[in-house]
Amino acid sequence: MTFDNSKNIIGVRIKLFGATVVFLVYIALTYVAKLIKYPLLGLTETTWTIILVAFYAIVAFYPMFLNYQYIYFSDDGDNIVFRYFTAGIVGGKKNSVEINKRTFSGYKTESGFFGLRQSITLFQRVNNKIAKYPPIYISAFRKEERAKVLRVLNMYTPKN
């Protein structure tokens, strides 16, 4: 099985682009062209600016706070493959984890911040010891995608 969460990440990027356009149009109409008359709906221009800055900050930093990552997953062939990178405003370095199915020794899931930030830590047998990989954040996966990955990993986890 092979899949990625590119649609989710593209949706996050589109929301960020839309919020940026709205914010820039507001700034242009309010402060440059002075076309909007205040008070608007009973709020001053300072209040509207604070509200829009807060909205933009939430849209921009929410994915970074939850460690949204683009993830490509495949278990085709002899290896379990995860390729991933951070998908926030500032992109992170690209990472890849390839574990042979015979040496895969399990995984651990963790969640934080009220269950919104979720990660998988993979383990592999190397020279009769267990190697631990850095966590892969699956927060940007939909619930069904998360369940698929965990179901596949359970198939390859050794039963003790």
Side-chain angles (χ1 to χ4, degrees), residues 6-157:
S6 60
K7 288 182 183 177
N8 301 0
I9 299 303
I10 290 170
V12 168
R13 301 293 254 183
I14 289 172
K15 287 175 191 167
L16 178 59
F17 178 75
T20 302
V21 168
V22 167
F23 186 67
L24 291 176
V25 166
Y26 168 78
I27 295 297
L29 293 177
T30 299
Y31 294 106
V32 177
K34 298 195 185 286
L35 293 176
I36 300 175
K37 304 295 181 211
Y38 292 95
L40 180 65
L41 300 175
L43 301 174
T44 66
E45 80 182 51
T46 303
T47 306
W48 277 107
T49 302
I50 290 170
I51 290 170
L52 285 173
V53 165
F55 172 75
Y56 182 76
I58 289 169
V59 170
F61 294 110
Y62 183 77
M64 285 177 42
F65 183 72
L66 296 181
N67 291 328
Y68 274 18
Q69 293 180 331
Y70 164 79
I71 300 173
Y72 164 87
F73 170 77
S74 175
D75 70 332
D76 298 337
D78 292 335
N79 294 326
I80 298 169
V81 177
F82 281 93
R83 290 194 172 90
Y84 58 98
F85 62 88
T86 303
I89 292 174
V90 179
K93 68 177 184 166
K94 295 179 180 173
N95 300 295
S96 182
V97 173
E98 294 188 31
I99 301 174
N100 189 289
K101 292 175 184 174
R102 292 185 308 260
T103 61
F104 180 68
S105 71
Y107 69 95
K108 177 176 71 168
T109 59
E110 294 178 329
S111 65
F113 196 65
F114 307 108
L116 295 174
R117 187 185 307 166
Q118 299 175 339
S119 66
I120 296 176
T121 304
L122 303 171
F123 300 98
Q124 179 180 16
R125 279 187 327 280
V126 178
N127 297 329
N128 295 324
K129 294 183 181 178
I130 302 296
K132 177 181 172 182
Y133 285 91
I136 300 169
Y137 290 93
I138 56 173
S139 306
F141 275 165
R142 290 189 307 263
K143 191 174 185 178
E144 311 84 51
E145 293 170 333
R146 225 179 341 261
K148 278 184 194 177
V149 169
L150 297 179
R151 192 171 35 248
V152 169
L153 292 177
N154 282 331
M155 286 177 17
Y156 300 114
T157 300

